[in-house]
Amino acid sequence: MRACFVAVASTAIMASSAFAVETEVSAEIRAVIEATRYQGATWGIRAEALDATEPVIAAGPDTLFFTGSVRKLFSVGLALDALGPDHRFRTPVYRTGAIDSDGVLDGDLVLVANGDLTLGGRDRPEGTIAFTDFDHTESNSLGSSILTDTDPLSGIRQLAQGVAVAGIKAVEGDVIVDDRLFEHFRVPNGNVLITPVIVNDNLVDVSIVPTEAGQPAAVDWRPRSAAFTVVAYVMTVAPDQPADVTLEVSPDDPGVGIVKGTIPVGYKPPLPGVPTLVQTFTIADPSAYARTVFIEALEEAGVTVAAPAVATNPAARLPEAGSYRPEDQVTELVSLPYAQYVRLILKVSHNLGANLSLMLFGLTEGALTREAALAAERAALVEKFGLPDDGFDFPTNGSGSPDSRASPATVTGLLKAMSRTAVAVPYFDALPILGVDGSLASIGRDPPNPLIEPAIGKVYAKTGTTMEPGVLKAQVFAGYLDAKSGDRLAYVVYVNNVAPVASIADVIGVFVDEGVISALLQGRY
């Protein structure tokens, strides 16, 4: 059975193009899409010059495809357009009582969460946000990751130092996190809880390194906090033995993670350039966790707190929303510009950040729930960006999997519309670059691929992946090409329903094939 690849006519979006529309792909591309692995899969390819009314190529059905994380181009693009690239998140700390002459606060300290994705935990001194080609947010799904060299608690420590500088030496009341910015919700993409308070992406990173056969592996974790500790039972085994490491939260204590299993001598994860096995625990209660690490940072800064550090967040003690007085602000953490967050989210496909961006956009429209934010987003995409109402379906989340869908023409329509906005440059700069960084860093380079090599550094695309057991439900590249002609093209390459898929190596193989198609498009036009 051949791969499903039906040529269709395309709807014009903008002014005329110098290119003739192609509804058939080149022999080189056909050789990719008709490979044995794609029997039964459906492909869609579309590319358009930014100032054109017709695509240069529109091959495959212009129907709704599963987008995977290409969905983030929409949620993050709208948030960037609404907030602006220079928007900075401000996380203040207020006091609810007076400070006496000895520096004792007769009241509570309240950290007000305002949707800062990193809380300073990825900030670099030069004013950029740190990320790696394999981010820790995907440690468990990819099999490992590369941790940044930044301190996940840096912003929390800065806030604690600010409290000390303000003259507070002791807190007689409690420490509270105000997490009422929007209604919390879970997304089906990883069952991630979306809240406005985030410390280390609400994860605890666990690094497992083999030692000598028969000896315990070296296990470390971060952040270190009484809020969540790790107990390890991992043994190092002979090099010819398989790695078998599992993580589970203790059934007796939700604040303890158990790591157990075996890891062979010399083990390297099956990802290019990833030296160490890294897995993560998810923080079940982000507000309580943030409260604990803040209290611990206060103690380190010389501020004593009467309330116990490990406890639930006492939200019932919060003052009425919106009642904070400027004179009661103790300190404040100011973030890097939102353009830096956009780079993080799109370069590494940060699911939590994309869903947070959906809510940040929604808040600009008065939306306090996920449902209201999705409705506001749809209205903006149709009314402001001119996308067809039936050209996309984003029912549950802002990150993509498992149910977000959009047609090829809708994806290129968004990309063209974004290229005409005031935020076109930071949007473009946030995309992964083929063979250079983000989710495309290794494509064409590790191992070298002569078909991709000519396009390295000339393709800027968000990737999207949706997996089901044994099936690659979606693999997508979408973004821009700096074509041979000198034109910049908006483009998308979709493949849905690739099966069977048995391992991460199979997924990487499809990644590479879409890199080849992207390179062939770049060199053809």
Side-chain angles (χ1 to χ4, degrees):
M1 180 170 59
R2 295 178 63 185
C4 177
F5 200 98
V6 182
V8 295
S10 299
T11 303
I13 304 257
M14 291 184 58
S16 73
S17 170
F19 299 97
V21 179
E22 296 186 35
T23 55
E24 279 294 325
V25 298
S26 66
E28 294 88 351
I29 292 178
R30 190 164 292 281
V32 176
I33 67 176
E34 292 184 351
T36 302
R37 80 165 87 203
Y38 300 118
Q39 292 184 1
T42 304
W43 288 87
I45 299 175
R46 186 182 179 96
E48 306 180 42
L50 299 185
D51 60 351
T53 58
E54 296 288 344
V56 299
I57 183 169
D62 196 29
T63 56
L64 298 185
F65 282 76
F66 288 104
T67 65
S69 288
V70 162
R71 160 71 169 106
K72 295 177 175 70
L73 291 172
F74 295 79
S75 56
V76 178
L78 262 64
L80 177 63
D81 185 61
L83 296 173
D86 298 323
H87 175 81
R88 294 176 185 261
F89 299 95
R90 296 180 177 273
T91 303
V93 174
Y94 290 93
R95 58 180 174 84
T96 64
I99 306 170
D100 69 17
S101 59
D102 294 323
V104 177
L105 171 62
D106 184 19
D108 300 328
L109 277 180
V110 182
L111 186 157
V112 181
N114 278 320
D116 187 336
L117 177 60
T118 73
L119 268 183
R122 291 180 185 252
D123 290 6
R124 292 196 180 280
E126 65 270 24
T128 61
I129 285 180
F131 60 87
T132 68
D133 293 335
F134 293 98
D135 194 70
H136 78 146
T137 56
E138 295 295 337
S139 293
N140 295 356
S141 60
L142 293 178
S144 192
S145 66
I146 303 173
L147 299 179
T148 67
D149 59 2
T150 54
D151 175 9
L153 299 180
S154 176
I156 293 290
R157 298 188 206 280
Q158 289 180 53
L159 285 170
Q161 288 290 340
V163 171
V165 168
I168 296 176
K169 298 179 180 179
V171 178
E172 287 295 295
D174 213 320
V175 173
I176 317 170
V177 173
D178 187 339
D179 59 4
R180 299 175 293 184
L181 183 66
F182 57 79
E183 183 178 293
H184 306 179
F185 61 97
R186 288 190 180 275
V187 293
N189 188 357
N191 195 33
V192 177
L193 178 66
I194 310 303
T195 79
V197 59
I198 299 152
V199 176
N200 197 43
D201 300 309
N202 293 334
L203 298 172
V204 173
D205 306 313
V206 183
S207 299
I208 305 106
V209 179
T211 55
E212 297 180 1
Q215 297 299 312
V219 178
D220 196 7
W221 65 96
R222 72 175 202 182
R224 290 285 187 130
S225 169
F228 193 93
T229 59
V230 173
V231 177
Y233 305 100
V234 183
M235 294 298 295
T236 307
V237 295
D240 60 347
Q241 298 299 304
D244 182 17
V245 176
T246 60
L247 281 72
E248 63 180 33
V249 176
S250 168
D252 302 318
D253 186 346
V256 175
I258 301 171
V259 185
K260 57 186 178 182
T262 58
I263 187 169
V265 171
Y267 176 80
K268 300 292 184 185
L271 295 169
V274 179
T276 305
L277 179 59
V278 176
Q279 297 286 270
T280 59
F281 287 100
T282 298
I283 296 302
D285 187 342
S287 298
Y289 185 85
R291 173 187 175 275
T292 296
V293 296
F294 187 33
I295 291 175
E296 290 171 337
L298 287 167
E299 298 281 353
E300 290 175 4
V303 180
T304 61
V305 178
V310 180
T312 57
N313 185 48
R317 295 173 64 101
L318 285 171
E320 183 179 349
S323 67
Y324 299 106
R325 302 183 306 172
E327 59 266 32
D328 292 332
Q329 182 173 310
V330 176
T331 189
E332 180 181 56
L333 180 70
V334 180
S335 78
L336 295 177
Y338 181 60
Q340 284 294 315
Y341 290 76
V342 173
R343 282 178 59 83
L344 167 65
I345 297 166
L346 296 185
K347 290 284 189 184
V348 307
S349 205
H350 197 293
N351 290 325
L352 190 156
N355 283 294
L356 183 63
S357 293
L358 170 68
M359 291 310 306
L360 294 172
F361 168 75
L363 289 169
T364 68
E365 299 290 320
L368 300 179
T369 67
R370 171 181 50 182
E371 292 73 20
L374 286 166
E377 179 192 52
R378 169 168 283 278
L381 290 172
V382 173
E383 297 166 12
K384 180 176 180 179
F385 288 83
L387 302 183
D389 185 66
D390 61 353
F392 62 98
D393 180 30
F394 303 146
T396 63
N397 68 85
S399 55
S401 298
D403 50 16
S404 296
R405 298 184 299 157
S407 72
T410 297
V411 173
T412 56
L414 170 79
L415 290 162
K416 291 172 69 174
M418 287 299 300
S419 75
R420 300 190 296 270
T421 67
V423 299
V425 171
Y427 184 70
F428 176 84
D429 288 346
L431 294 174
I433 305 173
L434 185 66
V436 176
D437 65 12
S439 56
L440 293 179
S442 65
I443 304 302
R445 288 196 181 274
D446 192 2
N449 188 308
L451 293 174
I452 295 176
E453 184 177 1
I456 285 176
K458 301 172 186 175
V459 175
Y460 317 85
K462 181 72 194 74
T463 60
T465 307
T466 298
M467 289 289 300
E468 290 183 346
V471 179
L472 184 56
K473 188 175 177 180
Q475 183 55 59
V476 196
F477 281 23
Y480 303 97
L481 306 167
D482 281 343
K484 181 177 66 174
S485 63
D487 286 279
R488 178 163 287 172
L489 308 181
Y491 90 109
V492 61
V493 177
Y494 272 115
V495 64
N496 278 187
N497 299 319
V498 180
V501 172
S503 68
I504 189 66
D506 292 334
V507 177
I508 291 173
V510 181
F511 252 77
V512 171
D513 284 347
E514 292 197 331
V516 169
I517 293 171
S518 300
L520 292 170
L521 291 172
Q522 185 276 328
R524 182 174 179 82
Y525 302 107

